[in-house]
Amino acid sequence: MPERVFNFSAGPAVMPLPVLEEAQRDLLALPGVGSSVMELSHRGKPYMAIHADAKTRLVSLLNIPDTHDVLFLQGGSRLQFSMIPINLLKGTDKTADYILTGSWGKKALEEAVKEGKTNVAWDGKPTNYNCLPKQADLKLTPDAAYVHMTSNETIQGVQFQAEPEVGNVPLVSDLSSDFMSRPVDVSKYGLIYACAQKNAGPAGVTVVIIRKDLMEQASSDLPGYLVYRNHAENDSMWNTPPTFGIYLLGLVCKWLQEDMGGLEKIQKQNEAKAKLLYDAIDQSNGFYIGHALPEDRSMMNVTFKLGDEESEKRFLAEANEVGLTQLGGHRSVGGVRASIYNAMPVEGVEKLRDFMLKFKK
């Protein structure tokens, strides 16, 4: 096998090697079945068992209560930006609150305004989204339809350490880039959504965890795929689900449970990995300039710049030569971004830290 590099892509991102190896081993013929997972009918018993196992493992990992349902959808977070207000806001006289902490929150709002009244509860634009709001900063609407937040902004590298207090209003959160990176109290949320291609599997699967009572208010006049209720009533098989992606998501859950010891342990590892890079930034005497304020830094996406564009180009080129790849910042902000999701091994982060120290010298 060709030597694997350390891939710091923000998504699609690195996946656990044991997951890839198991999928490779069984790609042509699943044991006891004789066909590839990609060839199985989604209505047949072999795939139904895979589907159920992925859902069961996800419920166990996140300790999802019976008040919520788990859906496997398609369309990524972009579709959720529309489905959420279509199901929870459209046709009501209520207002949806949006907390804007970076690029993805802004994109979610762009879709919500098409469906009903919205309120920007806080916007980090004045400081270029380098920090998060304090509770007192939020201008929340009493009896809002929901409050939307983005748990971790991949582009700016800021991450909530705790949920904002929203009272009895449903809290909706985009967890795409820190999903399953740490324990989450699902009972605090009305809806959680996450595209899989960062921490949970390949591109093509979107996990939605929704409080069951919230699914009842959507109009039956809506296009069928856009109604959460339809997917829940059909166990995420209202249409043909992304079967191979769900299979891989189940393997990722198994890896987290059996190899990594659960979400508490993976959180500790993720925090330790992030500290390696932030220490290198903080101890560089300004050679590396972190984007996010220290108290709001992401443990998933470490974003920083060097003093000038030429130095950044050289940094990225030399890093790539030694097998540290996909480190360029998002095209909208530039700089350097190291995405160190669950599957990025400690060795990869240590190698990047060592490279940073050597490059500075």
Side-chain angles (χ1 to χ4, degrees):
M1 183 180 73
E3 183 178 352
R4 284 174 59 82
V5 298
F6 290 115
N7 171 20
F8 292 90
S9 170
V14 61
M15 288 181 59
L17 191 57
V19 169
L20 295 177
E21 289 172 337
E22 182 170 345
Q24 179 191 46
R25 185 190 70 214
D26 297 340
L27 182 63
L28 293 180
L30 200 65
V33 178
S35 296
S36 171
V37 171
M38 291 184 284
E39 300 171 315
L40 299 178
S41 166
H42 63 293
R43 302 292 182 188
K45 287 184 179 180
Y47 174 74
M48 293 285 282
I50 290 169
H51 191 95
D53 181 69
K55 187 172 179 179
T56 298
R57 289 183 181 278
L58 194 58
V59 168
S60 176
L61 269 172
L62 289 168
N63 195 25
I64 300 172
D66 291 340
T67 51
H68 290 62
D69 212 337
V70 176
L71 310 178
F72 297 137
L73 305 181
Q74 298 170 70
S77 290
R78 290 275 191 169
L79 183 57
Q80 292 310 304
F81 294 166
S82 296
M83 281 185 72
I84 289 162
I86 284 173
N87 281 262
L88 305 183
L89 177 64
K90 187 180 180 70
T92 73
D93 292 326
K94 293 189 174 184
T95 298
D97 286 344
Y98 277 72
I99 303 170
L100 305 185
T101 53
S103 300
W104 295 112
K106 290 194 295 180
K107 292 182 187 299
L109 176 64
E110 288 172 6
E111 300 304 320
V113 298
K114 302 173 184 177
E115 308 301 338
K117 293 184 292 185
T118 59
N119 166 59
V120 176
W122 187 84
D123 190 350
K125 184 177 180 179
T127 60
N128 196 21
Y129 301 105
N130 72 340
C131 63
L132 298 174
K134 304 292 189 291
Q135 184 67 35
D137 299 329
L138 299 177
K139 303 297 189 289
L140 299 174
T141 305
D143 196 34
Y146 58 87
V147 177
H148 182 282
M149 62 178 282
T150 307
S151 177
N152 181 77
E153 284 280 3
T154 59
I155 294 176
Q156 285 79 18
V158 293
Q159 183 181 30
F160 278 93
Q161 303 307 315
E163 300 88 354
E165 294 294 331
V166 297
N168 292 324
V169 174
L171 181 61
V172 173
S173 187
D174 179 354
L175 261 68
S176 291
S177 52
D178 59 358
F179 188 57
M180 298 199 298
S181 70
R182 57 184 179 179
V184 173
D185 185 352
V186 175
S187 68
K188 292 183 177 181
Y189 295 85
L191 188 151
I192 288 170
Y193 63 101
C195 51
Q197 67 265 20
K198 301 175 188 295
N199 258 330
V205 185
T206 304
V207 177
V208 172
I209 304 169
I210 182 171
R211 216 172 67 202
K212 293 176 180 178
D213 63 292
L214 295 179
M215 291 188 283
E216 300 307 316
Q217 60 195 65
S219 169
S220 57
D221 295 335
L222 293 169
Y225 192 89
L226 300 182
V227 179
Y228 290 123
R229 186 170 60 247
N230 289 341
H231 297 287
E233 290 173 353
N234 290 277
D235 194 20
S236 300
M237 294 191 192
W238 189 82
N239 69 315
T240 303
T243 55
F244 192 68
I246 293 169
Y247 159 71
L248 288 173
L249 184 147
L251 293 186
V252 170
C253 290
K254 184 174 77 167
W255 171 76
L256 282 169
Q257 289 175 311
E258 299 179 6
D259 293 7
M260 305 308 294
L263 299 190
E264 290 85 0
K265 289 189 177 180
I266 200 71
Q267 179 183 13
K268 290 180 181 178
Q269 178 170 293
N270 287 332
E271 290 170 344
K273 290 188 302 186
K275 187 175 187 300
L276 290 172
L277 300 186
Y278 287 125
D279 283 352
I281 293 169
D282 293 341
Q283 295 166 15
S284 71
N285 295 318
F287 185 83
Y288 298 114
I289 307 163
H291 177 74
L293 295 186
E295 62 268 27
D296 295 324
R297 285 170 165 171
S298 168
M299 69 175 178
M300 295 283 97
N301 308 98
V302 179
T303 56
F304 59 95
K305 291 190 174 185
L306 283 74
D308 59 87
E309 194 171 326
E310 275 307 309
S311 295
E312 288 175 356
K313 288 181 179 178
R314 182 181 160 199
F315 178 96
L316 295 172
E318 293 186 13
N320 194 70
E321 288 174 3
V322 296
L324 302 168
T325 69
Q326 304 293 315
L327 280 165
H330 190 271
R331 61 185 180 276
S332 65
V333 297
V336 180
R337 172 174 58 176
S339 297
I340 50 174
Y341 301 123
N342 287 350
M344 172 57 65
V346 175
E347 295 79 13
V349 181
E350 290 175 336
K351 184 173 181 179
L352 174 56
R353 185 271 317 272
D354 293 345
F355 173 79
M356 292 171 68
L357 299 178
K358 181 180 179 182
F359 185 85
K360 176 179 178 291
K361 288 183 180 179

